[in-house]
Amino acid sequence: MTDIIIEHQCPQCGAPAILKETDRLFSCEFCRVNSYLLQDGFFRYMLPNAAPETKDLVFFPYWRFKGMLFSCVDSGIDYKFIDISHQAVNSRYFPSSLGLRSQALKLNFVSPKTNGYFLRPTFSFKEVMGIFQNRFNTSLPGPVFQQSHVGDTVSLIYSPFYKEEKMFDAVLNKAITAEPPDDFETASLPGGRPNWHTQFIPTLCPDCGWDLKGRSDALVLNCKNCGSVWGPTKSGFKQLKFSVMQTNEKNVIYLPFWRIKADVNGITLNSYADLVRIANLPKAIQKDWEDKEFQFWSTAFKVRPQVFIRLGRSITLSQPMEKMLRKLPDARIHPVTLPLKEAVESLIINLASFMKPREDLFPLLHDITIMPKSFLLIYIPFVEHHHEFIQPKLNLTLNKNQLNLASNL
Ligand SMILES: [Zn+2]
Ligand SMILES: [Zn+2]
């Protein structure tokens, strides 16, 4: 898997810079200023063009998704890692996808200063995902009871074209193969000038003014000075509630998890007793378990699909009640790289991963809805061993390679 590469300029000094699509924290090599990328919704990029300057460019949009697709089938949960693009405007004249272009070329952010006519998407991302899933599902055995896509990169990528006697692909300056009729006018399709821009905001702690630090792909920034934790919103940083599981162990790394309280409809899952019943755990239900509230857990960092499911299931089944404090530890903390929104998308798969017996319960998945109500970011200490990180109390292990490899997922 390769990341999209974006060319841009430092908002402070104008020096040229290169970003990966997962980068959020940008540190300028020249002026040393740190800034954080904010975008309302999803990022919008465009492919570079080689068109003569006199041409009026038309930008054709493609939805792009990179992430995991989970499917619940008879034999269990099937997963697939996908990296797709698809027309966001239905047209038989333009290529149906970007092919490998978005990986082979350096992209740019679309800004209000960009010249050209930007076609407005007529397909929503959801519709495009539906088309793709239908195509993919024919390769799956038997019925698909539920599907969920979990990733962090939904973006809109624009490809430039211009019209002479023929329609030209402005990336290559070559006429496109599916030639539109002479009276085809792109300007008759809905669209206009771009009015979105990517904001770069200073990475200063809103509470104490300290410079917030983090890995370039961190989705949450921690203030080492005042001990606060910040998540980006479209208008700036917002303080996040968090807790830290306590430990006496040495040589630990703290891994982030999302704990999510949700209303589950279509099946009864409110208490720990309900969980024991649904997961068919070999435990005699005790009376007070009926009052012990059930909560979902998901990793807040990217890992491979099978590890993502395994960790989410194990920790959700154990419903940890260890002692926690709202104080950042003086130890290594792994960055949050999986957004809360994506963790929420994955809850139905988390539920499916522990339902038993599957034959009886999978057919119910279609009618189950999970509405998140509240969440908490929780840091859990893992002890570093030679090849793996181990959480002894919760009996969790994570191969070190799996964590390292995941940084380019
Ligand atoms: Zn700079
Ligand atoms: Zn601070």
Side-chain angles (χ1 to χ4, degrees):
M1 286 299 152
T2 42
D3 268 320
I4 287 181
I5 300 294
I6 304 121
E7 261 182 328
H8 81 122
Q9 291 182 325
C10 168
Q12 278 298 318
C13 73
I18 296 285
L19 289 173
K20 283 195 291 187
E21 64 178 330
T22 46
D23 285 348
R24 294 293 174 272
L25 192 66
F26 164 69
S27 236
C28 177
E29 277 180 45
F30 294 91
C31 69
R32 304 267 158 210
V33 169
N34 294 325
S35 31
Y36 199 86
L37 276 77
L38 289 185
Q39 181 74 55
D40 188 4
F42 44 84
F43 285 91
R44 291 175 173 91
Y45 310 111
M46 58 186 177
L47 294 173
N49 76 81
E53 268 183 29
T54 52
K55 303 298 172 200
D56 292 328
L57 294 178
V58 173
F59 286 87
F60 191 88
Y62 293 87
W63 284 112
R64 184 198 181 241
F65 172 81
K66 191 167 99 167
M68 305 176 272
L69 177 65
F70 294 104
S71 313
C72 301
V73 292
D74 272 334
S75 55
I77 298 173
D78 180 279
Y79 57 82
K80 187 178 161 60
F81 201 82
I82 54 176
D83 186 343
I84 50 159
S85 64
H86 191 280
Q87 286 188 340
V89 172
N90 189 16
S91 169
R92 61 197 166 101
Y93 304 122
F94 295 88
S96 63
S97 84
L98 289 165
L100 294 171
R101 283 184 164 188
S102 55
Q103 291 157 33
L105 299 165
K106 289 195 183 78
L107 276 59
N108 288 284
F109 289 115
V110 177
S111 85
K113 286 183 199 150
T114 313
N115 282 319
Y117 189 78
F118 284 73
L119 298 186
R120 192 183 312 140
T122 52
F123 282 142
S124 66
F125 169 69
K126 219 177 143 187
E127 286 169 309
V128 162
M129 208 56 205
I131 296 171
F132 178 79
Q133 283 176 7
N134 285 338
R135 206 181 295 161
F136 167 67
N137 289 352
T138 55
S139 69
L140 288 174
V144 178
F145 299 109
Q146 181 63 259
Q147 252 173 341
S148 206
H149 48 86
V150 179
D152 65 330
T153 45
V154 175
S155 50
L156 207 52
I157 300 179
Y158 289 91
S159 196
F161 294 86
Y162 60 90
K163 201 178 171 197
E164 281 191 331
E165 319 80 71
K166 292 176 170 182
M167 183 66 78
F168 276 71
D169 174 343
V171 174
L172 301 172
N173 256 332
K174 253 174 82 178
I176 58 176
T177 36
E179 206 180 307
D182 288 344
D183 60 352
F184 180 77
E185 279 300 333
T186 38
S188 65
L189 296 170
R193 291 294 309 273
N195 58 354
W196 330 279
H197 58 106
T198 305
Q199 289 185 72
F200 287 78
I201 60 163
T203 54
L204 301 178
C205 172
D207 257 13
C208 76
W210 193 266
D211 204 9
L212 300 169
K213 296 253 159 60
R215 210 167 77 174
S216 61
D217 58 349
L219 300 176
V220 163
L221 297 180
N222 300 343
C223 178
K224 289 223 168 94
N225 187 50
C226 70
S228 53
V229 170
W230 303 88
T233 67
K234 60 183 171 186
S235 52
F237 290 116
K238 188 171 172 253
Q239 195 154 1
L240 283 185
K241 279 202 234 164
F242 71 97
S243 260
V244 181
M245 209 174 268
Q246 300 301 296
T247 184
N248 296 321
E249 303 274 1
K250 296 275 177 305
N251 198 21
V252 294
I253 180 170
Y254 286 82
L255 302 182
F257 288 81
W258 297 114
R259 191 182 74 187
I260 302 164
K261 199 195 292 185
D263 277 335
V264 182
N265 290 308
I267 197 167
T268 308
L269 183 51
N270 304 315
S271 66
Y272 184 62
D274 295 332
L275 173 67
V276 171
R277 282 186 283 262
I278 290 175
N280 215 346
L281 298 179
K283 289 181 177 183
I285 292 174
Q286 292 166 29
K287 224 177 164 196
D288 60 331
W289 291 0
E290 303 285 356
D291 304 320
K292 207 175 132 187
E293 193 177 51
F294 167 79
Q295 303 190 84
F296 283 102
W297 288 72
S298 161
T299 67
F301 51 95
K302 277 188 260 175
V303 270
R304 308 200 138 190
Q306 57 277 49
V307 184
F308 177 76
I309 293 186
R310 176 171 61 78
L311 288 177
R313 178 185 57 222
S314 308
I315 193 160
T316 299
L317 285 178
S318 59
Q319 294 287 297
M321 296 293 281
E322 328 303 307
K323 187 169 189 277
M324 297 204 275
L325 288 176
R326 188 171 300 180
K327 183 175 179 298
L328 285 178
D330 188 16
R332 281 175 300 163
I333 299 180
H334 189 75
V336 172
T337 52
L338 187 88
L340 174 68
K341 194 171 151 279
E342 298 304 312
V344 167
E345 290 282 340
S346 76
L347 296 183
I348 189 82
I349 299 300
N350 187 330
L351 170 61
S353 75
F354 59 73
M355 284 178 144
K356 268 190 200 148
R358 229 164 31 213
E359 308 81 84
D360 299 344
L361 297 178
F362 265 25
L364 304 179
L365 282 171
H366 248 303
D367 300 317
I368 296 177
T369 54
I370 302 179
M371 290 295 293
K373 279 163 61 187
S374 62
F375 73 93
L376 187 63
L377 175 63
I378 297 182
Y379 289 104
I380 300 183
F382 280 67
V383 183
E384 180 166 7
H385 290 256
H386 202 59
H387 294 295
E388 60 233 318
F389 297 114
I390 296 179
Q391 194 346 290
K393 278 190 194 151
L394 302 173
N395 205 8
L396 302 172
T397 46
L398 176 63
N399 191 301
K400 280 183 178 177
N401 287 335
Q402 286 162 343
L403 203 56
N404 291 338
L405 284 173
S407 63
N408 62 10
L409 287 187

